[in-house]
Amino acid sequence: MAFTLPELPYAHDALADLGMSKETLEFHHDIHHKAYVDNGNKLIAGTEWEDKDLENIVKGTYKAGAVAQSGIFNNASQHWNHNLFWEIMGPTGKTMPAELEKALVDSFGSVEKFKEEFAAAGAAQFGSGWTWLVKDASGTLKITKTENGVNPLCFNETALLGCDVWEHSYYIDFRNKRPAYLANFLDKLVNWEAVAARM
Ligand SMILES: [Fe+2]
C-alpha cells in the first residue's frame, strides 16, 4: 500500500532545547523522510509490492549479505526506520520505566553501560547507518548496528530503540561530532516510555 509521511508526534521546535533543532527536523523529516516516501511510492507502483504492507515489503526485498540493496528496499526500510525514530524521541518520557531499566541492567550490567555500548556501536558504524537496541527471537536484548537503511526486521529482531547515524541527522547541530550527537540522543532526546512500550 502507498507510503504516507507521518506527522511528527511533536512540534518541529519541541526538541530544540534538547539538542535537535527545528532546522534539523525540517530537513530530516520534511525533506529526507518525505523523499523516501515519495521515491518508494514511485518504485512500488505497478509492482508486486504495490499492495503489500510496509513490513512485508522491507522483509521481502531485503537481500541478505548483499553490498547494495534494491531501491525499493532502501526507500521502504528508511521509511520504516524514520517512523520509529520520530516515535522514540520526544520532549516527554524522560523517566525510564522500571521494567525497561531492569531489562537493561540484566542485559548490560547498568543503564550507563548500556548507553556506553550503544554510543560506541553508533560511533563505529562506518558511513551511513543506524544503531539499535533490539530484542532477538529468543527474547535477548542486544545492541546492533546496520549499514545504510538495513533494519532489525531483516533479522527477525524487534527494534526497541534506533538512532539514525546518517550525517543528515546530526550535521546541522553537531557538525562532524557523531559521538557528541549519540551521547546527547541518549541523555536528552529519547522518550524512554515509548521505548518501554515497544517491549
Ligand atoms: Fe535519517
Side-chain angles (χ1 to χ4, degrees):
M1 60 195 74
F3 305 155
T4 51
L5 181 69
E7 293 285 329
L8 282 177
Y10 30 78
H12 285 75
D13 61 1
L15 307 181
D17 292 342
L18 304 173
M20 188 170 279
S21 63
K22 180 172 184 243
E23 187 182 8
T24 286
L25 284 172
E26 285 170 348
F27 273 89
H28 199 174
H29 174 271
D30 304 0
I31 298 176
H32 289 284
H33 189 172
K34 183 173 188 296
Y36 297 127
V37 168
D38 292 345
N39 291 331
N41 282 332
K42 280 183 205 150
L43 289 166
I44 62 172
T47 74
E48 62 180 303
W49 304 108
E50 188 167 27
D51 299 321
K52 302 288 193 300
D53 68 27
L54 180 59
E55 288 202 11
N56 280 313
I57 297 171
V58 172
K59 289 180 181 175
T61 57
Y62 175 64
K63 298 277 185 283
V67 173
Q69 300 289 333
S70 72
I72 291 179
F73 173 82
N74 287 335
N75 286 284
S77 190
Q78 281 289 72
H79 177 36
W80 189 95
N81 292 345
H82 286 83
N83 288 347
L84 177 140
F85 190 54
W86 312 133
E87 178 196 319
I88 54 78
M89 296 190 292
T92 61
K94 302 304 164 189
T95 302
M96 187 179 289
E99 173 200 21
L100 175 60
E101 185 174 353
K102 181 178 185 312
L104 293 176
V105 171
D106 288 349
S107 301
F108 303 100
S110 68
V111 171
E112 279 314 303
K113 194 89 180 83
F114 155 71
K115 288 183 177 180
E116 276 173 31
E117 290 184 24
F118 186 96
Q125 169 57 37
F126 183 73
S128 296
W130 293 75
T131 185
W132 307 94
L133 171 67
V134 302
K135 186 160 70 171
D136 71 13
S138 69
T140 304
L141 294 194
K142 296 191 308 192
I143 292 165
T144 66
K145 57 188 168 70
T146 57
E147 62 186 7
N148 300 319
V150 176
N151 82 37
L153 283 180
C154 305
F155 314 108
N156 291 315
E157 296 165 340
T158 303
L160 305 181
L161 175 67
C163 185
D164 189 340
V165 298
W166 287 58
E167 281 189 347
H168 66 218
S169 193
Y170 59 87
Y171 212 84
I172 291 170
D173 298 318
F174 290 89
R175 296 303 176 198
N176 60 328
K177 297 182 177 63
R178 190 194 285 182
Y181 157 75
L182 281 156
N184 182 76
F185 172 81
L186 290 164
D187 286 339
K188 296 191 175 168
L189 287 168
V190 175
N191 175 340
W192 296 107
E193 289 172 11
V195 176
R198 299 183 62 83
M199 292 178 75

